[in-house]
Amino acid sequence: MRIGVTGATGRMGREVREEAAARGIEVAFATTRDAAGDLDSAEEFDALADARNPDAVVDFTVPEVSLDYVTACATAGVPVVVGTTGFSDAELAALRDAGSDVPVLLGANFSRGVQALLDVVAEAVGALPEYDVEVTETHHNGKRDAPSGTAKVLLDRIEAVRGDGGDRVHGREGEQPREDGEIGVHARRAGDVTGEH
């Protein structure tokens, strides 16, 4: 298997490249916006996708850059895995459109632990409908989107089980007693925390 890696010098890009090496997966190319070291620049991506013929591209960048890569993958006929979060509704629609041309897997979190957490949260919310719900997440100080993509997936799962589409209350300040059905949402950014939910 041959993969292309975008956002290759970021936290997740480095992890993907290290894991690929550990599993004997060839990295056909790696791109980054600032072309550090031996990495190819994002401007060369179209040519790379055609010339180096990857089986798939793995993207961990930022929404606007991710969309460029996904569009290029759709044009080149290359499937893409997107771990980028923070997309707007319009950007998500553009990803769905690209998915009509090539397989596009969009995941807010690829951790097996988080997938298990989603199941447990759904079960708990269903079993305890009268309980208050607050979603709190902490990430490193360089995390761009808030709340995190994982927190949003948790919120979607909670609301799907509740069926009431409760109001999301982001943070609290001053006098703010809880209202029935609301879901508190709190995002913290500090240090080098990988991600806690």
PDB file of all heavy atoms in Angstrom, residues 5 8 26 48-49 52 58 92 96 145 157 164-165:
ATOM      1  N   VAL A   5       0.445  11.710   2.592  1.00  0.00           N
ATOM      2  CA  VAL A   5       0.119  12.296   3.897  1.00  0.00           C
ATOM      3  C   VAL A   5       0.151  13.810   3.766  1.00  0.00           C
ATOM      4  O   VAL A   5       1.159  14.383   3.346  1.00  0.00           O
ATOM      5  CB  VAL A   5       1.111  11.839   4.986  1.00  0.00           C
ATOM      6  CG1 VAL A   5       0.746  12.451   6.335  1.00  0.00           C
ATOM      7  CG2 VAL A   5       1.158  10.315   5.086  1.00  0.00           C
ATOM      8  N   ALA A   8       1.831  16.864   6.993  1.00  0.00           N
ATOM      9  CA  ALA A   8       2.800  15.849   7.395  1.00  0.00           C
ATOM     10  C   ALA A   8       3.708  16.242   8.549  1.00  0.00           C
ATOM     11  O   ALA A   8       4.292  15.375   9.190  1.00  0.00           O
ATOM     12  CB  ALA A   8       3.650  15.452   6.185  1.00  0.00           C
ATOM     13  N   GLU A  26       4.253   2.224   2.481  1.00  0.00           N
ATOM     14  CA  GLU A  26       5.071   3.232   1.814  1.00  0.00           C
ATOM     15  C   GLU A  26       4.357   4.581   1.812  1.00  0.00           C
ATOM     16  O   GLU A  26       3.181   4.676   1.477  1.00  0.00           O
ATOM     17  CB  GLU A  26       5.347   2.808   0.371  1.00  0.00           C
ATOM     18  CG  GLU A  26       6.211   3.794  -0.379  1.00  0.00           C
ATOM     19  CD  GLU A  26       6.425   3.410  -1.837  1.00  0.00           C
ATOM     20  OE1 GLU A  26       6.073   2.272  -2.218  1.00  0.00           O
ATOM     21  OE2 GLU A  26       6.917   4.274  -2.583  1.00  0.00           O
ATOM     22  N   LEU A  48       1.907  15.560  -7.538  1.00  0.00           N
ATOM     23  CA  LEU A  48       2.303  14.415  -6.726  1.00  0.00           C
ATOM     24  C   LEU A  48       1.237  13.328  -6.757  1.00  0.00           C
ATOM     25  O   LEU A  48       1.542  12.145  -6.877  1.00  0.00           O
ATOM     26  CB  LEU A  48       2.542  14.852  -5.282  1.00  0.00           C
ATOM     27  CG  LEU A  48       3.770  15.716  -5.037  1.00  0.00           C
ATOM     28  CD1 LEU A  48       3.734  16.290  -3.631  1.00  0.00           C
ATOM     29  CD2 LEU A  48       5.032  14.897  -5.236  1.00  0.00           C
ATOM     30  N   ALA A  49      -0.019  13.721  -6.607  1.00  0.00           N
ATOM     31  CA  ALA A  49      -1.115  12.742  -6.575  1.00  0.00           C
ATOM     32  C   ALA A  49      -1.166  11.963  -7.884  1.00  0.00           C
ATOM     33  O   ALA A  49      -1.439  10.760  -7.890  1.00  0.00           O
ATOM     34  CB  ALA A  49      -2.448  13.436  -6.316  1.00  0.00           C
ATOM     35  N   ARG A  52       2.832  10.078  -8.337  1.00  0.00           N
ATOM     36  CA  ARG A  52       3.272   9.074  -7.362  1.00  0.00           C
ATOM     37  C   ARG A  52       2.184   8.052  -7.053  1.00  0.00           C
ATOM     38  O   ARG A  52       2.404   7.140  -6.287  1.00  0.00           O
ATOM     39  CB  ARG A  52       3.769   9.770  -6.108  1.00  0.00           C
ATOM     40  CG  ARG A  52       4.956  10.675  -6.449  1.00  0.00           C
ATOM     41  CD  ARG A  52       5.783  11.012  -5.278  1.00  0.00           C
ATOM     42  NE  ARG A  52       6.780  12.010  -5.650  1.00  0.00           N
ATOM     43  CZ  ARG A  52       7.464  12.700  -4.773  1.00  0.00           C
ATOM     44  NH1 ARG A  52       7.266  12.536  -3.494  1.00  0.00           N
ATOM     45  NH2 ARG A  52       8.343  13.578  -5.172  1.00  0.00           N
ATOM     46  N   VAL A  58      -4.094  10.541   3.348  1.00  0.00           N
ATOM     47  CA  VAL A  58      -4.541  10.765   4.722  1.00  0.00           C
ATOM     48  C   VAL A  58      -4.309  12.228   5.048  1.00  0.00           C
ATOM     49  O   VAL A  58      -3.173  12.718   4.960  1.00  0.00           O
ATOM     50  CB  VAL A  58      -3.790   9.858   5.723  1.00  0.00           C
ATOM     51  CG1 VAL A  58      -4.276  10.101   7.136  1.00  0.00           C
ATOM     52  CG2 VAL A  58      -3.949   8.386   5.339  1.00  0.00           C
ATOM     53  N   LEU A  92     -18.627  20.983   4.815  1.00  0.00           N
ATOM     54  CA  LEU A  92     -19.055  19.577   4.903  1.00  0.00           C
ATOM     55  C   LEU A  92     -19.822  19.165   3.646  1.00  0.00           C
ATOM     56  O   LEU A  92     -19.660  18.048   3.148  1.00  0.00           O
ATOM     57  CB  LEU A  92     -19.916  19.355   6.147  1.00  0.00           C
ATOM     58  CG  LEU A  92     -19.161  19.375   7.475  1.00  0.00           C
ATOM     59  CD1 LEU A  92     -20.146  19.357   8.640  1.00  0.00           C
ATOM     60  CD2 LEU A  92     -18.194  18.198   7.567  1.00  0.00           C
ATOM     61  N   ARG A  96     -18.987  16.143   0.995  1.00  0.00           N
ATOM     62  CA  ARG A  96     -19.970  15.150   0.525  1.00  0.00           C
ATOM     63  C   ARG A  96     -19.993  15.116  -1.003  1.00  0.00           C
ATOM     64  O   ARG A  96     -20.082  14.055  -1.610  1.00  0.00           O
ATOM     65  CB  ARG A  96     -21.356  15.457   1.089  1.00  0.00           C
ATOM     66  CG  ARG A  96     -21.528  15.009   2.531  1.00  0.00           C
ATOM     67  CD  ARG A  96     -22.967  15.062   2.968  1.00  0.00           C
ATOM     68  NE  ARG A  96     -23.478  16.429   3.049  1.00  0.00           N
ATOM     69  CZ  ARG A  96     -23.309  17.225   4.105  1.00  0.00           C
ATOM     70  NH1 ARG A  96     -22.652  16.790   5.161  1.00  0.00           N
ATOM     71  NH2 ARG A  96     -23.796  18.439   4.102  1.00  0.00           N
ATOM     72  N   ASP A 145     -10.006  24.403  16.523  1.00  0.00           N
ATOM     73  CA  ASP A 145     -11.467  24.440  16.600  1.00  0.00           C
ATOM     74  C   ASP A 145     -11.955  24.139  18.015  1.00  0.00           C
ATOM     75  O   ASP A 145     -11.361  23.359  18.746  1.00  0.00           O
ATOM     76  CB  ASP A 145     -12.111  23.478  15.591  1.00  0.00           C
ATOM     77  CG  ASP A 145     -11.622  22.049  15.730  1.00  0.00           C
ATOM     78  OD1 ASP A 145     -10.409  21.846  15.945  1.00  0.00           O
ATOM     79  OD2 ASP A 145     -12.447  21.127  15.635  1.00  0.00           O
ATOM     80  N   ARG A 157     -24.444  12.492  19.245  1.00  0.00           N
ATOM     81  CA  ARG A 157     -24.898  11.189  19.732  1.00  0.00           C
ATOM     82  C   ARG A 157     -25.873  11.365  20.903  1.00  0.00           C
ATOM     83  O   ARG A 157     -26.901  10.701  20.969  1.00  0.00           O
ATOM     84  CB  ARG A 157     -23.686  10.355  20.146  1.00  0.00           C
ATOM     85  CG  ARG A 157     -23.980   8.940  20.564  1.00  0.00           C
ATOM     86  CD  ARG A 157     -24.415   8.040  19.407  1.00  0.00           C
ATOM     87  NE  ARG A 157     -23.489   8.000  18.305  1.00  0.00           N
ATOM     88  CZ  ARG A 157     -22.553   7.060  18.123  1.00  0.00           C
ATOM     89  NH1 ARG A 157     -22.435   6.072  18.981  1.00  0.00           N
ATOM     90  NH2 ARG A 157     -21.764   7.106  17.081  1.00  0.00           N
ATOM     91  N   ASP A 164     -34.630  15.161  21.656  1.00  0.00           N
ATOM     92  CA  ASP A 164     -35.255  16.468  21.885  1.00  0.00           C
ATOM     93  C   ASP A 164     -34.444  17.625  21.326  1.00  0.00           C
ATOM     94  O   ASP A 164     -34.874  18.773  21.388  1.00  0.00           O
ATOM     95  CB  ASP A 164     -35.499  16.688  23.380  1.00  0.00           C
ATOM     96  CG  ASP A 164     -34.230  16.681  24.213  1.00  0.00           C
ATOM     97  OD1 ASP A 164     -33.130  16.628  23.629  1.00  0.00           O
ATOM     98  OD2 ASP A 164     -34.328  16.721  25.448  1.00  0.00           O
ATOM     99  N   GLY A 165     -33.238  17.313  20.784  1.00  0.00           N
ATOM    100  CA  GLY A 165     -32.412  18.391  20.229  1.00  0.00           C
ATOM    101  C   GLY A 165     -32.189  19.511  21.214  1.00  0.00           C
ATOM    102  O   GLY A 165     -32.341  20.676  20.898  1.00  0.00           O
TER     103      GLY A 165
END
